[in-house]
Amino acid sequence: MVIDKASEYLGMVSASKTKIVGKNDVGQLLKIQETTKDELLFELKEKAFDKNATAIAGLKIEIYSVFEGMLNMVLYGTLVSF
């Protein structure tokens, strides 16, 4: 897709969340990750709306396991307006 309009850089945006995963929840880890990602995407969309951005470019997702039983997820990208 080719965009023929000029874009305006509006800054970086990020959201992160840490969750405790109990031993009984290990089987649900993929669902926990998906739910956490959805929550963080919603937060990024709210921040983008507040800055009048029309897109989040270069969205990155990083997932860390700080230690057994703890999950940390970070989403970040660049806000742009067309």
Side-chain angles (χ1 to χ4, degrees), residues 21-77:
V21 181
K23 290 182 181 181
N24 296 334
D25 298 328
V26 171
Q28 297 293 318
L29 186 58
L30 290 176
K31 181 158 179 59
I32 292 168
Q33 287 179 340
E34 187 70 24
T35 302
T36 304
K37 180 189 68 136
D38 291 343
E39 292 169 0
L40 293 174
L41 279 172
F42 184 79
E43 185 178 332
L44 288 183
K45 289 177 187 178
E46 286 182 323
K47 290 178 179 182
F49 180 79
D50 289 343
K51 298 249 185 187
N52 294 320
T54 55
I56 301 172
L59 182 64
K60 304 285 187 206
I61 300 172
E62 296 183 13
I63 301 171
Y64 303 98
S65 178
V66 180
F67 57 85
E68 189 174 327
M70 180 177 271
L71 167 75
N72 182 276
M73 186 177 292
V74 180
L75 274 67
Y76 60 94

